[in-house]
Amino acid sequence: MTAIYRACPVCGTGHESATLFFENNIDPEKLSSFSFASRKVPEFMCHRLVQCPTCDLVYANQPPSEDELSHAYHAADYDSSEEANDAAAAYMKAMQPTLHRMAHKQSALEIGTGTGVLLEHLSSAGFARLIGVEPSAAAIAAAPEHRQAWIRHGMFNENDFEPASFDLICCFMTMEHVRDPKVIASAAFRLLRPGGAFVTVTHNYHSIVNRLLGKRSPIIDIEHMQLFSNQSIRRLFDAVGLTQVEVKAFANTYSLTYWTRLSPLPGRVKDMALRLLKALGWDKTKLSVNVGNSMTVGIKPVAAP
Ligand SMILES: [Zn+2]
């Protein structure tokens, strides 16, 4: 991998003043095409992560290049399970207050759309023009045909879209994965109509769950180029000119099977727990848990230049 040090991708503070958060622990022999899939079984591998003293962001100071990332996501396998549906339902619920106060609900863009399941929900909520961007060909192939028509294959590129042409831009569980989160946030600002909303879902590395799990937290992931706290995600939104910024924790709802798969239990115990859930008929039972994810909403001011 290319060893070029980078400054903090949110506030620009030099990497030399950052403190070590986690040492690199990538085992090349364990890397698989599933390493870049969403909702995989955690592998607990990560790039060297440092913490910015200015804005609180944790970031890989020697991330792979844009090309390397693009290739990894293009080749990634996709797990097209019910978890994507569960996640989208939880996001829609958490977004309700934002959707309620939006004056226009005509066009929506989702960056990192997967199989486009959130777009389906947004369509039901009244959005007429739906566009998703997704780098994984396998994810798009797993989408129903009518959704495939909404999805563009590739990495997100601002120039593919008209400025001020969206009422809502969503980027869920993706801001950690991109090479430069500020590029995404400032592009979202330009692509929004005045009064439009940019909404992200990010892991909060300060949350109790993530602090308790430490090195065995699913946020410790080779895909993560940066990890946000509520302070650093707010700072990013402020920096690109978004206003009325709100950061709030929300609960994810998943099946007990999925929660068990995500858990830091050793492999053999996990297998036993999964078999037990199935035997008891509890494997499909849903459970809502606040696992330390935050939803952030920012509005493009109506009087923006
Ligand atoms: Zn910073």
Side-chain angles (χ1 to χ4, degrees), residues 216-234:
R216 304 279 292 172
S217 161
I219 67 171
I220 301 307
D221 190 320
I222 188 168
E223 292 177 66
H224 290 161
M225 301 300 118
Q226 50 270 325
L227 294 172
F228 294 89
S229 58
N230 289 356
Q231 183 192 335
S232 48
I233 191 75
R234 177 182 291 277

Side-chain angles (χ1 to χ4, degrees), residues 8 11 52 55:
C8 171
C11 75
C52 174
C55 77

Side-chain angles (χ1 to χ4, degrees), residues 22-149:
F22 269 127
E23 199 46 88
N24 171 316
N25 70 340
I26 294 170
D27 178 354
E29 289 191 356
K30 277 206 239 155
L31 281 181
S32 68
S33 60
F34 255 111
S35 294
F36 285 87
S38 36
R39 286 173 278 273
K40 62 191 173 183
V41 175
E43 301 163 312
F44 309 115
M45 292 195 283
C46 66
H47 294 282
R48 184 174 195 271
L49 296 172
V50 297
Q51 186 173 24
C52 174
T54 311
C55 77
D56 202 36
L57 187 78
V58 165
Y59 63 98
N61 63 355
Q62 291 173 276
S65 70
E66 196 83 58
D67 278 356
E68 285 167 323
L69 281 180
S70 164
H71 181 78
Y73 283 108
H74 187 90
D77 277 330
Y78 187 73
D79 146 34
S80 66
S81 49
E82 67 177 271
E83 276 83 51
N85 280 308
D86 289 346
Y91 300 153
M92 284 304 287
K93 196 172 160 206
M95 260 200 303
Q96 280 315 307
T98 303
L99 296 178
H100 268 300
R101 65 177 197 210
M102 283 175 64
H104 301 282
K105 280 181 271 192
Q106 208 270 324
S107 60
L109 168 68
E110 188 186 18
I111 302 167
T113 197
T115 63
V117 56
L118 183 84
L119 299 177
E120 189 85 63
H121 285 266
L122 291 173
S123 168
S124 307
F127 286 86
R129 179 173 166 250
L130 299 154
I131 297 177
V133 179
E134 173 55 46
S136 161
I140 301 173
E145 224 173 277
H146 72 281
R147 281 195 223 150
Q148 288 185 9

Side-chain angles (χ1 to χ4, degrees), residues 254-276:
Y254 288 122
S255 69
L256 288 177
T257 300
Y258 181 63
W259 286 123
T260 307
R261 262 171 50 208
L262 260 195
S263 72
L265 295 169
R268 214 184 279 169
V269 181
K270 205 178 272 191
D271 288 343
M272 276 170 57
L274 288 170
R275 278 200 301 272
L276 184 65

Side-chain angles (χ1 to χ4, degrees), residues 9-11 158 169 175 180-192 196-200 228 231-245 296-301 304-305:
V10 164
C11 75
E158 178 181 356
I169 299 179
M175 293 300 275
D180 192 337
K182 205 163 178 180
V183 165
I184 304 288
S186 52
F189 182 88
R190 287 185 289 267
L191 295 179
L192 281 174
F198 180 47
V199 187
T200 63
F228 294 89
Q231 183 192 335
S232 48
I233 191 75
R234 177 182 291 277
R235 175 130 183 174
L236 176 67
F237 274 55
D238 289 343
V240 301
L242 291 157
T243 57
Q244 301 174 55
V245 178
T296 307
V297 181
I299 307 292
K300 178 168 175 169

